[in-house]
Amino acid sequence: MKMTYYNRVDETLYHDTLDNGLDVYIIVKRGYKEKCAYFGTKFGSLQTGDILVDEHGNKHPVLGGIAHFLEHRLFDNKRGNVMDLYDNMGASCNAFTSFNKTVYYFSSINNFDEGLNLLLDYPSEFEMSEEAVEGEKDIIIQEVKMYKDMPDRVLFFEGLRSLYNEHPITSEIGGEIEEVSATTRQLLGLCHSTFYDPSNMTLVVVGDVDVKETLELIKKNQAGKNFKASEHIVKEINESIEVAREFHEIKMNSNIDKVIIGYKMEPLDNLDTFSQNKVVSSLDIIGNILFSKSGEYYEDLVKEGLISNIESETLALPKMNAFFVSAESTKVDELAFRIKEIVASSLDTLTEERLQSNKKAMLSSLLYDCNSCSKLGYNFVNNILEDFNYFEMEEVIRTINLEYLKMVCKHYLLNAKVSVTVMKNKDD
Amino acid sequence: MEIRDFISDNGLRVVLIKTNKFKTIELNLFLSDRLDYKSVTTLNLLAILMKSASKNHPSVKEFSTFLKENYRIMIGASLTNLGETNTVNFKVRGLNAKFLENENINEKLFYILDEMVNNPLIEDGKFKDSYYDEQLRIYKETLEASRDYKEKVTIQKVNDIMGKDTPYGVFKDGDLRDLENLKNEDVVNEYQKLINRDACLYVIGDIEENEIQEYLSKYLKMSSKRSELSLLYKAEMEDKGAHQEQASFTQSSICLVYNFPIYKGDELSNAAKIYASMFNHYLFKIVREKHNFCYSIFARYDAYLGVINVYSNIESKNYDKTLELIDEIIEDLKNTEAHDVVEMTKGKIVNSYHKISDLYSSYVELHYYERLLGNEFDIDNITKEINEVTIEQVREVATKISRKLSFILKEKS
């Protein structure tokens, strides 16, 4: 097991890869009572449309929402309901599915070893009846309906659909109602046997643990757990550089109009993960320089009565890279025009002083997150499942200089194709 | 963790929680007074005005720039209503000097807290006009935007039914309707009352008492006052019956209000905590897992008001059956023989308390509110008392619950 001490953030990381391919990370937090563990797989909504091949050679497309459906169902196990099992230990557990991962986690004060063994077991075991699958559909459909009533979420996904034509990023993580209804036990099982291979998975443990003992427990649990993953054909994505729609308007039950402006940039797949994170962090800095409360334009936009709320974010995943500015406004059309103007002239706004100020802020955020075992574990597992060590973010940020920032602005942002999506009240 | 109480030279009560576990220093200033239902909206706006700019940083940009340049100092101002008490909590968090390059920003944390609280952007008896107008507009639009979410709409409608002039009906985030006739001067009047409230400062992190005293000789020159605050609201709860409204959502949102008159500090208060947690457990198991009616359903117990509220998003066609199931859960709990569930619940609650020492903000808040009640916050003692609760006590509290309101915000068909 390799140990690395990151002195700038004062954190110690242990790493090992087991014989079956499982990657194990342990972050030691002395003096903390809470211990957490995260067990994740690289399977999310981005696999929608991929083809899986069963033992008979039959091909099955991955339906929208299936990674999320599987996450729900794995909580019923031969040992019993997993939440009940953790409740009996005095622990709490949950899971989440995102675009490119599914993560199962728990936290506890006592009985950590027992909880860790269970965490390593239940996602790896596929045991469910047809009846259980049918019953879960109603619950997930209620969840999907709940999301359909959330304007910010609806706007974000419509913003993605305005940018991308073919990319599976436009698929709802939970799927559409028809997709949920069409899910079968067989397809769930095939997804499980494809993506829940230990070599596709990572375990992260955070807390005041004995590293040697914890690693021994993990090794003992994983001994003999070897999967033969089913064949998986990745869907070919022929994504145009053009946006799907330059302008789109949606009507919804929203009291204040909203807008999201999307910038479709060149994907980052040709870069290593360090460089990818450097580009994304640079774009985040540009967004802050322009639109944060200390930024160049926030005050003007408020004075002009154009915003009550504005934020920017970058989303970079395989074969896609997008920058978004979203806001609430009583004057969305005028605001959209202003934001496009601001971004178009952003190069002139980038100065050494503004860069250094934002770098300080980003470095501080890393340290703030290290105060909590659960926050640190969450951030670490999210990054490591994208093949990036979260503690290296400190170095990523430090290496961004003004020249690099301007290069990112020119090459990615100013060359991007733009789309505008607005949400207006359906009664207007 | 070492806890030290002292009074500053100006008479401000300070609680120092000295620990080197965290990478930050955090200041929490609590200002508490009797809840005035009419002033909650004004206080929300006031909190925004106080935390966004100040006399020495007279714009949002300048104030935010100061925070960013000092390693992203984080600030917050929030309201909490417990029973008949309202608390405004100002929070400042910054990095420990150990993580900075030849810098120590500890003094700046006290400075910026003082700026927020004692140096707001008030000129000639009013907040600077343009600043006030901008923040008022933003606050109004934020409140309007919150009504995009059916859960918030439901809560506001339930509050209206329960009565805006009672603690049951106060909407924590403020009410848009209260802003119609609000004047700048009214907000300043509220500010004058706020800074004369009973004050208590918590400091958590790796910092010495003498360093704090040095900063308090320059900043936060305010004193603590002993005031009689009533945290518990014990009143007869009116039966409000069944209500429904319709709105343009895909799914319905429900809220049920139960009178559960067991209060913090009562002999059965720990049994009540366990009961509420068990209620939650069965809501999830039966309404969601067994009948598949919803994705989320939960009960929230307010031990200061003696209330349990149940919230969920369901389809309206399942509403009557959901009510029936919840009534059955309540009835069954009166005679529960589920010793295993009682023990399991105790374990969860005990562990949640032990986790709190890792969550400095939560620890500080609980410590403060226990002090307001006249108690010491002792996790070991609390968990011991939880473990001593018997199933007979849980059955006893189970007989005290009664529904006073059922509300559904129905989806448009």
Side-chain angles (χ1 to χ4, degrees), chain A residues 11 90 142 149 152 255 365, chain B residues 23 72 148-149 250 315 351:
Chain A
E11 296 291 345
Q142 291 309 313
D149 282 338
D152 295 309
N255 291 287
S365 296
Chain B
K23 294 175 165 55
R72 202 177 157 231
D148 292 346
Y149 288 83
T250 315
E315 288 186 62
N351 278 344

Side-chain angles (χ1 to χ4, degrees), chain A residues 168-316:
Chain A
I169 195 76
T170 57
S171 295
E172 273 283 354
I173 293 167
E176 298 297 337
I177 291 173
E178 314 73 58
E179 290 168 321
V180 174
S181 300
T183 301
T184 62
R185 184 189 175 283
Q186 185 200 17
L187 189 53
L188 287 167
L190 191 52
C191 286
H192 187 265
S193 64
T194 308
F195 297 107
Y196 281 69
D197 170 2
S199 65
N200 196 42
M201 301 186 75
T202 300
L203 174 74
V204 177
V205 173
V206 186
D208 193 349
V209 297
D210 183 306
V211 174
K212 195 165 163 232
E213 281 178 17
T214 304
L215 183 61
E216 265 168 42
L217 179 155
I218 295 164
K219 280 183 173 171
K220 190 173 165 195
N221 177 288
Q222 291 292 296
K225 279 185 180 168
N226 291 299
F227 271 57
K228 184 177 176 305
S230 302
E231 191 186 341
H232 166 214
I233 304 165
V234 176
K235 178 184 168 184
E236 206 177 301
I237 302 168
N238 294 313
E239 183 63 47
S240 151
I241 57 168
E242 303 298 329
V243 297
R245 39 192 199 206
E246 284 184 10
F247 180 81
H248 184 61
E249 184 175 301
I250 42 178
K251 297 276 198 185
M252 197 166 162
N253 188 41
S254 73
N255 291 287
I256 293 278
D257 293 347
K258 301 174 205 302
V259 63
I260 187 165
I261 294 135
Y263 290 81
K264 187 174 184 177
M265 302 180 289
E266 182 189 320
L268 306 177
D269 301 68
N270 59 324
L271 303 177
D272 60 59
T273 55
F274 186 94
S275 302
Q276 287 179 16
N277 278 278
K278 199 168 165 181
V279 170
V280 170
S281 297
S282 299
L283 288 163
D284 285 342
I285 288 172
I286 294 168
N288 283 332
I289 288 174
L290 298 177
F291 300 114
S292 69
K293 284 186 176 174
S294 58
E296 287 316 291
Y297 296 98
Y298 175 86
E299 215 162 51
D300 290 342
L301 293 172
V302 167
K303 276 185 170 48
E304 291 165 39
L306 286 174
I307 57 167
S308 51
N309 208 346
I310 187 165
E311 47 189 51
S312 64
E313 71 176 293
T314 313
L315 179 64

Side-chain angles (χ1 to χ4, degrees), chain A residues 133-196:
Chain A
V133 170
E134 290 306 307
E136 197 69 42
K137 288 179 183 179
D138 288 334
I139 295 174
I140 294 174
I141 286 170
Q142 291 309 313
E143 188 181 350
V144 166
K145 286 186 173 183
M146 186 178 80
Y147 295 140
K148 286 196 184 304
D149 282 338
M150 293 180 174
D152 295 309
R153 190 187 164 100
V154 169
L155 182 69
F156 178 67
F157 271 91
E158 286 301 322
L160 283 169
R161 288 177 192 124
S162 292
L163 289 182
Y164 293 95
N165 296 284
E166 285 213 17
H167 198 288
I169 195 76
T170 57
S171 295
E172 273 283 354
I173 293 167
E176 298 297 337
I177 291 173
E178 314 73 58
E179 290 168 321
V180 174
S181 300
T183 301
T184 62
R185 184 189 175 283
Q186 185 200 17
L187 189 53
L188 287 167
L190 191 52
C191 286
H192 187 265
S193 64
T194 308
F195 297 107
Y196 281 69

Side-chain angles (χ1 to χ4, degrees), chain A residues 336-356:
Chain A
F337 183 76
R338 278 286 271 132
I339 288 172
K340 287 201 284 184
E341 262 188 345
I342 288 168
V343 173
S345 61
S346 54
L347 198 60
D348 300 329
T349 333
L350 307 181
T351 66
E352 186 65 38
E353 192 190 340
R354 288 169 190 152
L355 169 62
Q356 293 308 324

